[in-house]
Amino acid sequence: MAVIKIDTTQYDAQLSEKEQRIRAQFQRFGVEQLEVFSSEPTNYRQRAEFRVWHDGDDLFHIMFDQQTKDKIRVDTFDPAAPLVGEIMQVMIENLKPCEILRRKLFQIDYLSTLSGEILVSLLYHKPLDDEWLNEIKALKEKLSSKYKIDFIGRARKQKEVLGDDFVTERLTVNGRELIYQQVENSFTQPNAKVNISMLEWAQNLCKPLKNDLLELYCGNGNFSIALAGSFNKVLATEISKSSVHSAQYNIAKNNVENLDIIRMSSEEFTQAMNGERTFSRLDGIDLKSYDCQTILVDPPRAGMDELTCDLVANYESIIYISCNPETLERDLDLLTRTHNVKRFAIFDQFPYTHHIESGVFLQRK
């Protein structure tokens, strides 16, 4: 059996290396204290994707070595959440003897929750016909007696959903349960427990802040829903249709009444705020009715463009969540012309990798 095993004795050392690297990189911004939030050393990933290898009658998950590109057989995977690890083995046991389900299968994706739900996506190099549908329905019925499990089959220009195409996560954040719909193929934080640490850190930051909050790049409402209770009103923007749909679902599920989410890119919203363009998507939204003194941004790895940085700099308080220290450093060069860094945190979303999530709190000079 091929096991992707983690040497957990190295966890503290790898986190310390990240802390020292980030501290050195951002020292020039006056970062006096770095707040460090660790991960579980194993079983921390709620999402996992594997290619599938066929070897005669055998069938197994594989990964590719990033340096050599050699394939690595994966039967058990220490980083995976316990439910993902269990279902990985269940799927192989059930796919191996079923020619209809295994033929032309090239990838399996797993999306799970702390609340015990899992969605399995099967990707194929063949059309999915009625025979396939009958077999996957039978497998779902068989496994549903033990698991809260749904399936998606994907082929060229084809998507078959058996159940829901999302899972519902329930996170306890500072003593309150928050509900989040997480849709297949949409962005969600992969390390749910570290996500809780991020949300609690942001909530504690916002306790003394007043007035309204603006959030750019809000995704499925991960931060805006958790922070809505700290502000009079919250206005959030997101460009992805599926993420906006999930955010609206999450607003209703969490009974949040002071949050509006609009489908716009940060660039479009900057144009609207500067009076350069009008958008029908803003019909019914009176931007002038908001007294936003705090802005939260959680941009993609590319960071923010210069015009968005200029917009962000207009706010009294800035919360910047970053998945890329290089673009964060670049953007802070602009933002620290007008603001001081007051708090800086790192969140170990991706243990044993070079990646680190950061949170920075800035206030106007």
Side-chain angles (χ1 to χ4, degrees), residues 286-309:
D286 181 8
L287 294 179
K288 294 180 180 178
S289 71
Y290 287 85
D291 183 18
C292 296
Q293 297 185 18
T294 301
I295 185 167
L296 187 149
V297 293
D298 185 4
R301 290 190 61 79
M304 298 190 293
D305 63 275
E306 192 167 343
L307 287 176
T308 303
C309 279

Side-chain angles (χ1 to χ4, degrees), residues 136-287:
I136 198 68
K137 285 177 183 177
L139 179 59
K140 176 174 167 54
E141 184 176 354
K142 174 184 176 181
L143 298 183
S144 291
S145 61
K146 184 175 180 181
Y147 303 103
K148 176 65 173 72
I149 187 169
D150 290 323
F151 289 96
I152 293 177
R154 285 189 175 274
R156 182 175 172 81
K157 297 183 179 180
Q158 191 176 7
K159 176 183 176 183
E160 302 292 343
V161 180
L162 284 298
D164 293 320
D165 66 349
F166 63 87
V167 291
T168 302
E169 180 63 284
R170 297 174 183 270
L171 304 179
T172 301
V173 180
N174 280 325
R176 181 190 168 197
E177 183 181 79
L178 299 178
I179 300 170
Y180 292 102
Q181 181 189 80
Q182 299 179 344
V183 178
E184 184 239 15
N185 269 1
S186 294
F187 175 77
T188 56
Q189 298 288 354
N191 191 324
K193 291 184 179 179
V194 173
N195 186 36
I196 291 172
S197 295
M198 293 171 63
L199 296 176
E200 290 182 340
W201 180 81
Q203 281 187 345
N204 293 336
L205 270 184
C206 292
K207 277 182 181 178
L209 303 179
K210 304 297 180 185
N211 306 104
D212 302 331
L213 171 69
L214 172 64
E215 180 181 358
L216 307 182
Y217 320 94
C218 75
N220 69 346
N222 185 49
F223 281 99
S224 43
I225 285 169
L227 299 180
S230 298
F231 296 93
N232 296 328
K233 292 192 294 183
V234 179
L235 179 64
T237 72
E238 169 58 44
I239 188 61
S240 163
K241 283 184 179 180
S242 62
S243 292
V244 170
H245 178 81
S246 291
Q248 300 291 3
Y249 175 95
N250 296 336
I251 288 171
K253 282 292 184 181
N254 289 283
N255 299 310
V256 177
E257 298 181 348
N258 63 334
L259 168 58
D260 285 313
I261 291 180
I262 49 178
R263 192 177 72 82
M264 301 186 80
S265 69
S266 62
E267 293 82 3
E268 289 173 330
F269 187 77
T270 299
Q271 292 171 335
M273 289 295 288
N274 292 339
E276 298 169 7
R277 288 179 63 188
T278 58
F279 295 88
S280 60
R281 282 165 282 171
L282 285 172
D283 290 349
I285 303 290
D286 181 8
L287 294 179

